Amino acid sequence: MAYLVWLIALSVVILPVQAQEVLRFKAWKDYIDPAVLENFQQETGIRVDYQTFTTAEELDQALVRGEHIDVLVPSHFQLAGLIANKRLQALDFRQLPHYASVDPELLAMLAALNSANRYVVPYLWGTVGLAVNPRLAEPAFGRALPNSWSLLFDERDSASLEGCGIGWLDAPEETLSLWLNYRGKNLGRSSEGQISRAGRSLLELGRRTRSLDNERYIEDLSSGRLCVAMAWVGHALTAAKANPSLQFLIPQEGALVFIDSLAIPANAPHPELAYRFIDYLLQPENSVRNSLATQFYSPLSSGAPELVKLAKEQPMLVPDQRERRRLYFLEKLSVEQKQAVDRLWQGVKQSRTAVP
Ligand code: N2P
C-alpha cells in the first residue's frame, strides 16, 4: 500500500514533465508575433519549436532530407510539387473551426493550383514590389523616378542606379516572373528554352546588384546601403518604419502576389497538435497580431470586423480591391520550367561572385 501511494506521488511529480508535447513549426524567419507563440504555449502547454528558413529552396531541401515537421509554411508556388510528391496531408477542416474566417478569394486562388486548398490554409500573403529610397535614388537617376520595374530591369535605368545600391531577392521564381512580365511575357507560358534565353540579359543585370538576399536587405534599405530593391511587402514596410524616406511601390507593370500557407506534412509526428496550432493561428485576433508584427497581410475575409478595424488603423496592411486588381498571382511551373529557372538562377548567383 505504502508502495502504491509512493508510486502515485511520484507519477504526479514526473508526469507533467513527460507530458510536455513539442510541435515543430517550420516557417519563414520572423513570420509570427512572438507573443502569439508564447500565448499558445501558455494556453495549451504545447511547446513550439520554431525553426526558420529564408529561401523557398531551404524548405524544399529540409523536406527532401525527410525532416520531421508538424506544421510548415510553403509558398503557393511550391504546393503543386509538394502535393504531387505526396508530401502533404489532405486537411480535415472539421478540426479547424476558424477556417470559416478565411478570405474566399485567397482560397479560390489556391484551389486553382492543383486543388491546393484541400491541403493548406492561407497564413500570410503579400506582394513583391519595389522598395525605393528617392532621397538616394533620385540624385543618382537625375530625374523623377518612374514607378516601373525598369529601375531594376532596364539596362540604362539600372546602370544609373548601380552606384547607390540595387537589391534583388534570392527568389528565382518570383524574380523570373517579374522580369518576364516586365517584358510582356509570362513565365508560366514560357518554354525551357525561352526561360534560358531570357536569362542571358538577366545575368548582366544581376551583376549590378549590391545585394541578393532575403534578410539583410531590410537593414540595408533602412541604413541607405540600398536605394532600390525588389522587396516583399512586409520587409519593405518594416524597413520604412526605421527610415521614413523609404517607399513601397506597386509598379505600373503590376506586382506579384504570393500566398504562404500552413500545411501538415504527410510524415508529421503530431498531426493532432498541428491542427490545434493552425486553428489558433486562424483566430482573427491572432491573425491580425501576426500581420502587425510581420507587416504582411492577414488572410481574413474583408468583412471580418478585425480586418475592418485593421484597415482603418493601418491601411497599408489591408490592400483594397483597386490595389488588388494591379496584382497578379505568380504562375505555377512545371517540373521542367522549375528546373530551367533553377539553372538560370545558379548562373545569376555565380556571375555575381565571379571576378570580372
Ligand atoms: C519572411 C517573409 C518572407 C515571405 N519573414 C516570402 N514568401
Side-chain angles (χ1 to χ4, degrees), residues 2 20 46 71 90 100 118 130 136 184 196-197 203 205 223 227 236 246 250 311 322 334:
Q20 158 103 171
I46 301 167
V71 175
R118 294 176 44 227
L130 269 181
L136 303 176
S196 358
R197 277 193 296 282
L203 290 191
L205 295 167
S223 71
C227 63
L246 285 167
I250 299 295
R322 209 182 33 132
S334 68

PDB file of all heavy atoms in Angstrom, residues 2 20 46 71 90 100 118 130 136 184 196-197 203 205 223 227 236 246 250 311 322 334:
ATOM      1  N   ALA A   2       1.805   1.255   0.927  1.00  0.00           N
ATOM      2  CA  ALA A   2       2.715   2.411   1.004  1.00  0.00           C
ATOM      3  C   ALA A   2       3.430   2.584  -0.339  1.00  0.00           C
ATOM      4  O   ALA A   2       3.635   3.697  -0.822  1.00  0.00           O
ATOM      5  CB  ALA A   2       3.724   2.208   2.128  1.00  0.00           C
ATOM      6  N   GLN A  20       4.872  17.199 -21.504  1.00  0.00           N
ATOM      7  CA  GLN A  20       5.139  18.383 -22.325  1.00  0.00           C
ATOM      8  C   GLN A  20       5.339  17.947 -23.780  1.00  0.00           C
ATOM      9  O   GLN A  20       6.275  17.218 -24.126  1.00  0.00           O
ATOM     10  CB  GLN A  20       6.364  19.107 -21.777  1.00  0.00           C
ATOM     11  CG  GLN A  20       6.999  19.965 -22.766  1.00  0.00           C
ATOM     12  CD  GLN A  20       6.754  21.468 -22.663  1.00  0.00           C
ATOM     13  OE1 GLN A  20       7.369  22.091 -23.316  1.00  0.00           O
ATOM     14  NE2 GLN A  20       5.917  22.095 -21.916  1.00  0.00           N
ATOM     15  N   ILE A  46       1.652  23.143 -24.920  1.00  0.00           N
ATOM     16  CA  ILE A  46       2.434  22.552 -26.020  1.00  0.00           C
ATOM     17  C   ILE A  46       3.615  23.481 -26.308  1.00  0.00           C
ATOM     18  O   ILE A  46       3.419  24.682 -26.475  1.00  0.00           O
ATOM     19  CB  ILE A  46       1.568  22.421 -27.295  1.00  0.00           C
ATOM     20  CG1 ILE A  46       0.350  21.538 -27.021  1.00  0.00           C
ATOM     21  CG2 ILE A  46       2.394  21.913 -28.465  1.00  0.00           C
ATOM     22  CD1 ILE A  46      -0.714  21.601 -28.105  1.00  0.00           C
ATOM     23  N   VAL A  71       4.075  21.435 -38.651  1.00  0.00           N
ATOM     24  CA  VAL A  71       3.390  22.464 -39.440  1.00  0.00           C
ATOM     25  C   VAL A  71       4.451  23.199 -40.240  1.00  0.00           C
ATOM     26  O   VAL A  71       5.467  23.628 -39.688  1.00  0.00           O
ATOM     27  CB  VAL A  71       2.654  23.483 -38.529  1.00  0.00           C
ATOM     28  CG1 VAL A  71       2.048  24.608 -39.360  1.00  0.00           C
ATOM     29  CG2 VAL A  71       1.567  22.789 -37.711  1.00  0.00           C
ATOM     30  N   ALA A  90      -3.958  15.748 -46.794  1.00  0.00           N
ATOM     31  CA  ALA A  90      -5.200  16.486 -47.040  1.00  0.00           C
ATOM     32  C   ALA A  90      -5.740  16.860 -45.661  1.00  0.00           C
ATOM     33  O   ALA A  90      -5.641  16.083 -44.711  1.00  0.00           O
ATOM     34  CB  ALA A  90      -6.182  15.604 -47.788  1.00  0.00           C
ATOM     35  N   ALA A 100     -13.499  29.220 -41.258  1.00  0.00           N
ATOM     36  CA  ALA A 100     -14.598  29.985 -41.841  1.00  0.00           C
ATOM     37  C   ALA A 100     -14.269  31.472 -42.013  1.00  0.00           C
ATOM     38  O   ALA A 100     -14.896  32.141 -42.821  1.00  0.00           O
ATOM     39  CB  ALA A 100     -15.832  29.838 -40.951  1.00  0.00           C
ATOM     40  N   ARG A 118      -7.242  22.013 -50.615  1.00  0.00           N
ATOM     41  CA  ARG A 118      -7.567  20.842 -49.785  1.00  0.00           C
ATOM     42  C   ARG A 118      -6.428  20.492 -48.827  1.00  0.00           C
ATOM     43  O   ARG A 118      -6.594  19.736 -47.891  1.00  0.00           O
ATOM     44  CB  ARG A 118      -7.884  19.635 -50.678  1.00  0.00           C
ATOM     45  CG  ARG A 118      -9.170  19.848 -51.488  1.00  0.00           C
ATOM     46  CD  ARG A 118      -9.439  18.698 -52.439  1.00  0.00           C
ATOM     47  NE  ARG A 118      -9.224  17.426 -51.796  1.00  0.00           N
ATOM     48  CZ  ARG A 118      -8.522  16.415 -52.324  1.00  0.00           C
ATOM     49  NH1 ARG A 118      -7.988  16.538 -53.510  1.00  0.00           N
ATOM     50  NH2 ARG A 118      -8.369  15.289 -51.675  1.00  0.00           N
ATOM     51  N   LEU A 130       8.477  47.135 -55.308  1.00  0.00           N
ATOM     52  CA  LEU A 130       9.752  47.851 -55.296  1.00  0.00           C
ATOM     53  C   LEU A 130       9.869  48.703 -54.040  1.00  0.00           C
ATOM     54  O   LEU A 130       8.971  49.501 -53.760  1.00  0.00           O
ATOM     55  CB  LEU A 130       9.795  48.810 -56.484  1.00  0.00           C
ATOM     56  CG  LEU A 130      10.369  48.360 -57.800  1.00  0.00           C
ATOM     57  CD1 LEU A 130      10.310  49.524 -58.797  1.00  0.00           C
ATOM     58  CD2 LEU A 130      11.807  47.871 -57.646  1.00  0.00           C
ATOM     59  N   LEU A 136      17.998  58.941 -52.123  1.00  0.00           N
ATOM     60  CA  LEU A 136      19.264  58.453 -52.681  1.00  0.00           C
ATOM     61  C   LEU A 136      19.142  58.177 -54.172  1.00  0.00           C
ATOM     62  O   LEU A 136      20.058  58.432 -54.949  1.00  0.00           O
ATOM     63  CB  LEU A 136      19.679  57.152 -51.979  1.00  0.00           C
ATOM     64  CG  LEU A 136      19.837  57.212 -50.464  1.00  0.00           C
ATOM     65  CD1 LEU A 136      20.150  55.825 -49.908  1.00  0.00           C
ATOM     66  CD2 LEU A 136      20.947  58.186 -50.089  1.00  0.00           C
ATOM     67  N   GLY A 184       6.556  41.839 -71.058  1.00  0.00           N
ATOM     68  CA  GLY A 184       5.299  41.480 -71.711  1.00  0.00           C
ATOM     69  C   GLY A 184       5.118  39.983 -71.892  1.00  0.00           C
ATOM     70  O   GLY A 184       4.315  39.539 -72.708  1.00  0.00           O
ATOM     71  N   SER A 196      15.713  30.017 -70.565  1.00  0.00           N
ATOM     72  CA  SER A 196      17.181  30.171 -70.535  1.00  0.00           C
ATOM     73  C   SER A 196      17.640  31.331 -71.405  1.00  0.00           C
ATOM     74  O   SER A 196      18.600  32.016 -71.053  1.00  0.00           O
ATOM     75  CB  SER A 196      17.931  28.901 -70.931  1.00  0.00           C
ATOM     76  OG  SER A 196      17.084  27.851 -71.194  1.00  0.00           O
ATOM     77  N   ARG A 197      16.939  31.567 -72.531  1.00  0.00           N
ATOM     78  CA  ARG A 197      17.357  32.714 -73.350  1.00  0.00           C
ATOM     79  C   ARG A 197      17.115  34.028 -72.621  1.00  0.00           C
ATOM     80  O   ARG A 197      17.964  34.907 -72.618  1.00  0.00           O
ATOM     81  CB  ARG A 197      16.626  32.709 -74.689  1.00  0.00           C
ATOM     82  CG  ARG A 197      17.288  31.785 -75.700  1.00  0.00           C
ATOM     83  CD  ARG A 197      16.770  32.020 -77.109  1.00  0.00           C
ATOM     84  NE  ARG A 197      15.354  31.697 -77.227  1.00  0.00           N
ATOM     85  CZ  ARG A 197      14.881  30.447 -77.329  1.00  0.00           C
ATOM     86  NH1 ARG A 197      15.710  29.422 -77.341  1.00  0.00           N
ATOM     87  NH2 ARG A 197      13.599  30.228 -77.428  1.00  0.00           N
ATOM     88  N   LEU A 203      21.462  37.847 -66.463  1.00  0.00           N
ATOM     89  CA  LEU A 203      22.793  37.696 -65.871  1.00  0.00           C
ATOM     90  C   LEU A 203      23.504  39.045 -65.802  1.00  0.00           C
ATOM     91  O   LEU A 203      24.087  39.409 -64.790  1.00  0.00           O
ATOM     92  CB  LEU A 203      23.652  36.741 -66.697  1.00  0.00           C
ATOM     93  CG  LEU A 203      23.314  35.263 -66.698  1.00  0.00           C
ATOM     94  CD1 LEU A 203      24.427  34.466 -67.360  1.00  0.00           C
ATOM     95  CD2 LEU A 203      23.082  34.754 -65.292  1.00  0.00           C
ATOM     96  N   LEU A 205      22.169  42.022 -65.778  1.00  0.00           N
ATOM     97  CA  LEU A 205      21.538  42.907 -64.796  1.00  0.00           C
ATOM     98  C   LEU A 205      21.874  42.469 -63.368  1.00  0.00           C
ATOM     99  O   LEU A 205      22.089  43.284 -62.486  1.00  0.00           O
ATOM    100  CB  LEU A 205      20.023  42.909 -64.992  1.00  0.00           C
ATOM    101  CG  LEU A 205      19.538  43.490 -66.311  1.00  0.00           C
ATOM    102  CD1 LEU A 205      18.065  43.138 -66.533  1.00  0.00           C
ATOM    103  CD2 LEU A 205      19.723  45.007 -66.336  1.00  0.00           C
ATOM    104  N   SER A 223      19.311  51.459 -43.729  1.00  0.00           N
ATOM    105  CA  SER A 223      20.562  52.185 -43.461  1.00  0.00           C
ATOM    106  C   SER A 223      21.027  52.990 -44.677  1.00  0.00           C
ATOM    107  O   SER A 223      21.962  53.772 -44.574  1.00  0.00           O
ATOM    108  CB  SER A 223      21.661  51.199 -43.078  1.00  0.00           C
ATOM    109  OG  SER A 223      22.040  50.450 -44.215  1.00  0.00           O
ATOM    110  N   CYS A 227      19.430  51.716 -52.551  1.00  0.00           N
ATOM    111  CA  CYS A 227      18.498  52.805 -52.875  1.00  0.00           C
ATOM    112  C   CYS A 227      17.250  52.270 -53.573  1.00  0.00           C
ATOM    113  O   CYS A 227      16.227  52.943 -53.632  1.00  0.00           O
ATOM    114  CB  CYS A 227      19.177  53.872 -53.731  1.00  0.00           C
ATOM    115  SG  CYS A 227      19.725  53.283 -55.343  1.00  0.00           S
ATOM    116  N   ALA A 236       9.600  45.560 -46.773  1.00  0.00           N
ATOM    117  CA  ALA A 236       9.696  46.970 -47.171  1.00  0.00           C
ATOM    118  C   ALA A 236       9.021  47.859 -46.124  1.00  0.00           C
ATOM    119  O   ALA A 236       9.553  48.912 -45.754  1.00  0.00           O
ATOM    120  CB  ALA A 236       9.049  47.168 -48.538  1.00  0.00           C
ATOM    121  N   LEU A 246      11.781  55.775 -47.109  1.00  0.00           N
ATOM    122  CA  LEU A 246      11.546  54.628 -47.987  1.00  0.00           C
ATOM    123  C   LEU A 246      10.085  54.524 -48.413  1.00  0.00           C
ATOM    124  O   LEU A 246       9.179  54.776 -47.627  1.00  0.00           O
ATOM    125  CB  LEU A 246      11.918  53.337 -47.269  1.00  0.00           C
ATOM    126  CG  LEU A 246      13.400  53.044 -47.109  1.00  0.00           C
ATOM    127  CD1 LEU A 246      13.606  51.912 -46.128  1.00  0.00           C
ATOM    128  CD2 LEU A 246      14.016  52.687 -48.464  1.00  0.00           C
ATOM    129  N   ILE A 250       3.937  49.609 -55.993  1.00  0.00           N
ATOM    130  CA  ILE A 250       3.423  48.583 -56.894  1.00  0.00           C
ATOM    131  C   ILE A 250       3.620  49.182 -58.289  1.00  0.00           C
ATOM    132  O   ILE A 250       2.865  50.046 -58.702  1.00  0.00           O
ATOM    133  CB  ILE A 250       1.914  48.343 -56.650  1.00  0.00           C
ATOM    134  CG1 ILE A 250       1.661  47.860 -55.220  1.00  0.00           C
ATOM    135  CG2 ILE A 250       1.334  47.375 -57.667  1.00  0.00           C
ATOM    136  CD1 ILE A 250       2.251  46.516 -54.904  1.00  0.00           C
ATOM    137  N   ALA A 311      -7.875  47.805 -41.188  1.00  0.00           N
ATOM    138  CA  ALA A 311      -7.806  48.647 -42.389  1.00  0.00           C
ATOM    139  C   ALA A 311      -7.909  50.128 -42.013  1.00  0.00           C
ATOM    140  O   ALA A 311      -7.295  50.983 -42.660  1.00  0.00           O
ATOM    141  CB  ALA A 311      -8.912  48.260 -43.362  1.00  0.00           C
ATOM    142  N   ARG A 322      -9.110  47.935 -55.432  1.00  0.00           N
ATOM    143  CA  ARG A 322      -8.468  48.620 -56.550  1.00  0.00           C
ATOM    144  C   ARG A 322      -6.982  48.231 -56.632  1.00  0.00           C
ATOM    145  O   ARG A 322      -6.449  47.936 -57.689  1.00  0.00           O
ATOM    146  CB  ARG A 322      -8.616  50.128 -56.367  1.00  0.00           C
ATOM    147  CG  ARG A 322      -8.646  50.901 -57.666  1.00  0.00           C
ATOM    148  CD  ARG A 322      -8.749  52.345 -57.342  1.00  0.00           C
ATOM    149  NE  ARG A 322      -8.027  52.560 -56.074  1.00  0.00           N
ATOM    150  CZ  ARG A 322      -7.140  53.518 -55.844  1.00  0.00           C
ATOM    151  NH1 ARG A 322      -6.891  54.377 -56.731  1.00  0.00           N
ATOM    152  NH2 ARG A 322      -6.508  53.638 -54.686  1.00  0.00           N
ATOM    153  N   SER A 334       5.831  23.950 -64.318  1.00  0.00           N
ATOM    154  CA  SER A 334       6.024  22.507 -64.468  1.00  0.00           C
ATOM    155  C   SER A 334       7.407  22.164 -63.921  1.00  0.00           C
ATOM    156  O   SER A 334       8.240  23.051 -63.694  1.00  0.00           O
ATOM    157  CB  SER A 334       5.968  22.129 -65.949  1.00  0.00           C
ATOM    158  OG  SER A 334       7.106  22.664 -66.603  1.00  0.00           O
TER     159      SER A 334
END
